[in-house]
């Protein structure tokens, strides 16, 4: 104010975005404790980063592995990695995405420059934070604070919050008409399971498959095996309540290991004559990983690890299981190159090439996240 003259200096449009957002987030302060709904500060995106308003997020067993210590990450942390939302703002240099775009965050990024991104054989970009578990953005800092404390990110996504910040390489723009409360599952569960069958294992028409574990990811493996033309899909779980949905999605047989006195791999070999062509472990237990390998056809069977392996545990296996010709493979995010494949998977969903509704058992408000994890842990 200078005399009677009020001077307003307009800010550049881009600077109007550069402000901290205060919002609700589910903070995990320490292991084996409930989530705490807190007000957090979410910093603006830096260069080549994107700030997203999360609309819907799924609960995945991998999140619970952090809670229980099975997957070691630093605390305090904001978990969540299976989500969809709308871009709120972008940092300097971001050209592929703009505010208002519907997007899916990617816990497996795609930088397009590292050896895995450049190879047709792989999809685990070197910029991922899965192996190191640093819990930070690529520049080594965090965008979250709560009560004056820095809060860690989870595998580059952190979706249990109303707003999150991800690197540009870790977000995919999707169809503007896509229902975010459905396609959020393409951010992890569906893509991981479906891709393990059609992308990693490359299940063939007429083949026989066994799927260990019938959570959302396991059911997605069943869907992938069916889509690939498998003639027999044997679903294995200790919770028989999951069998009806497994059959609805394509399982031809359902087996509960508790119903037998002999090891489950022997049961499956007897059912098939010489073992299955393809098996999938979708639980994350070393006992079921070895059982899945053992139930494969002894010479050309393929077993795929889909569940996250437990921390600090080792597998002891008879090398003869592999010497005779079996193949043991791992699959992360279904083998998909994330930025390239997620928009196509969303497009396929919009074209009704697969369904997602059967994978959604409950829809809860964000503040009831602890109830959601209770449902997960009780197999519901």
């Amino acid at each position: 104010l200078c005399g009677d003259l009020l001077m307003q200096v307009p800010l550049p449009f881009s600077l109007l975005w550069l402000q901290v957002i205060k919002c609700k987030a589910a903070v995990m302060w320490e292991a084996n404790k409930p989530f705490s709904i807190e007000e957090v500060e979410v910093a603006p995106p830096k260069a080549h980063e994107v700030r997203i308003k999360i609309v819907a997020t799924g609960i995945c067993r991998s999140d619970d592995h952090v809670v229980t210590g099975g997957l070691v990450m630093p605390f305090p942390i904001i978990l969540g990695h299976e989500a969809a939302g709308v871009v709120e703002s972008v940092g300097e240099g971001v050209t592929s995405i703009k505010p208002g775009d519907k997007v899916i965050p990617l816990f497996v990024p795609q930088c397009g420059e590292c050896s895995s991104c450049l190879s047709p054989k792989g999809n685990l970009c070197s910029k991922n934070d899965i192996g190191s578990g640093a819990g930070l953005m690529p520049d080594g800092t965090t965008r979250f604070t709560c009560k004056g404390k820095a809060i860690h990110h989870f595998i580059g996504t952190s979706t249990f919050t109303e707003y999150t910040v991800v690197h540009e390489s870790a977000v995919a723009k999707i169809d503007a008409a896509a229902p975010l409360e459905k396609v959020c599952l393409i951010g992890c569960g569906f893509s991981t399971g479906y891709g393990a069958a059609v992308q990693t294992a490359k299940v063939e028409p007429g083949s026989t498959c066994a799927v260990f574990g019938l959570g959302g990811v396991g059911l997605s493996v069943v869907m992938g095996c069916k889509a690939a033309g498998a003639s027999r899909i044997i679903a294995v779980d200790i919770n028989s309540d999951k069998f009806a949905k497994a059959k609805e999605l394509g399982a031809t047989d359902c087996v509960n290991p508790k119903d037998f006195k002999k090891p489950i791999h022997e049961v499956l070999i007897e059912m098939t004559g010489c073992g299955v062509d393809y098996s999938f472990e979708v639980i994350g237990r070393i006992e079921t990983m070895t059982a899945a390998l053992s139930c494969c056809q002894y010479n050309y069977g393929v077993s795929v690890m889909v569940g996250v392996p437990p921390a600090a545990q080792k597998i002891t296996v008879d090398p003869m299981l592999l010497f005779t010709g079996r193949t043991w493979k791992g699959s992360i995010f279904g083998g998909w190159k994330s930025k390239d494949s997620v928009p196509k998977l969303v497009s396929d969903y919009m074209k009704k090439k697969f369904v997602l509704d059967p994978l959604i058992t409950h829809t809860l408000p964000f503040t009831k996240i602890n109830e959601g994890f209770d449902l997960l842990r009780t197999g519901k």
Side-chain angles (χ1 to χ4, degrees), residues 4 41 60 90 123 133 135 142 144 214 222 239 313 334 350 364 373:
D4 293 325
E41 295 83 41
C60 180
V90 299
N123 73 320
T142 176
F144 298 118
L214 299 176
V222 170
N239 183 353
Q313 291 192 30
M350 299 297 285
L364 299 172
F373 273 84

Side-chain angles (χ1 to χ4, degrees), residues 4-282:
D4 293 325
L5 178 63
L6 179 65
M7 298 188 67
Q8 286 186 317
V9 181
L11 289 171
F13 183 56
S14 61
L15 293 183
L16 295 177
W17 295 328
L18 300 182
Q19 51 190 314
V20 172
I21 287 179
K22 292 184 178 181
C23 68
K24 289 180 181 178
V27 177
M28 178 60 56
W29 291 102
E30 55 183 303
N32 294 302
K33 297 285 185 176
F35 289 88
S36 179
I37 301 296
E38 306 277 7
E39 181 180 81
V40 300
E41 295 83 41
V42 184
K46 294 184 179 181
H48 300 290
E49 295 177 357
V50 179
R51 188 159 60 182
I52 304 167
K53 177 179 174 61
I54 298 296
V55 173
T57 185
I59 290 175
C60 180
R61 180 68 72 175
S62 301
D63 302 307
D64 196 44
H65 286 331
V66 180
V67 177
T68 61
L71 181 59
V72 178
M73 291 285 167
F75 292 94
I77 192 169
I78 294 174
L79 298 176
H81 63 285
E82 179 182 88
V86 179
V87 174
E88 178 269 337
S89 59
V90 299
E92 182 183 354
V94 175
T95 58
S96 61
I97 292 166
K98 65 183 185 303
D101 285 345
K102 285 187 176 182
V103 293
I104 289 178
L106 308 169
F107 71 92
V108 173
Q110 186 181 347
C111 72
E113 300 170 353
C114 69
S115 60
S116 290
C117 284
L118 293 174
S119 171
K121 299 177 182 179
N123 73 320
L124 185 56
C125 174
S126 66
K127 302 293 174 63
N128 80 85
D129 190 38
I130 297 167
S132 67
L136 300 169
M137 294 293 286
D139 70 349
T141 64
T142 176
R143 302 293 168 269
F144 298 118
T145 54
C146 179
K147 299 178 180 178
K149 294 183 178 180
I151 309 295
H152 291 92
H153 294 249
F154 178 51
I155 52 178
T157 50
S158 289
T159 63
F160 292 166
T161 171
E162 293 177 320
Y163 287 87
T164 192
V165 177
V166 304
H167 193 269
E168 184 181 14
S169 64
V171 61
K173 179 181 176 180
I174 62 171
D175 188 336
L180 300 183
E181 73 280 7
K182 311 286 187 187
V183 299
C184 64
L185 300 184
I186 293 174
C188 177
F190 173 78
S191 303
T192 296
Y194 190 81
V198 303
Q199 185 81 1
T200 303
K202 293 182 169 55
V203 171
E204 299 154 324
S207 56
T208 301
C209 304
V211 182
F212 288 70
L214 299 176
V217 183
L219 292 173
S220 298
V221 175
V222 170
M223 294 166 66
C225 292
K226 182 181 179 181
S231 61
R232 194 173 186 187
I233 304 169
I234 305 170
V236 182
D237 203 293
I238 58 173
N239 183 353
S240 298
D241 291 342
K242 297 187 176 185
F243 290 167
K245 185 162 285 187
K247 287 189 174 180
E248 174 191 340
L249 293 174
T252 57
D253 306 79
C254 292
V255 177
N256 188 331
K258 291 183 175 180
D259 294 339
F260 301 89
K261 293 182 179 179
K262 63 179 66 176
I264 188 61
H265 73 273
E266 293 182 12
V267 173
L268 295 172
I269 290 172
E270 287 183 4
M271 288 176 65
T272 56
C274 58
V276 298
D277 299 311
Y278 300 96
S279 69
F280 302 85
E281 200 280 350
V282 205

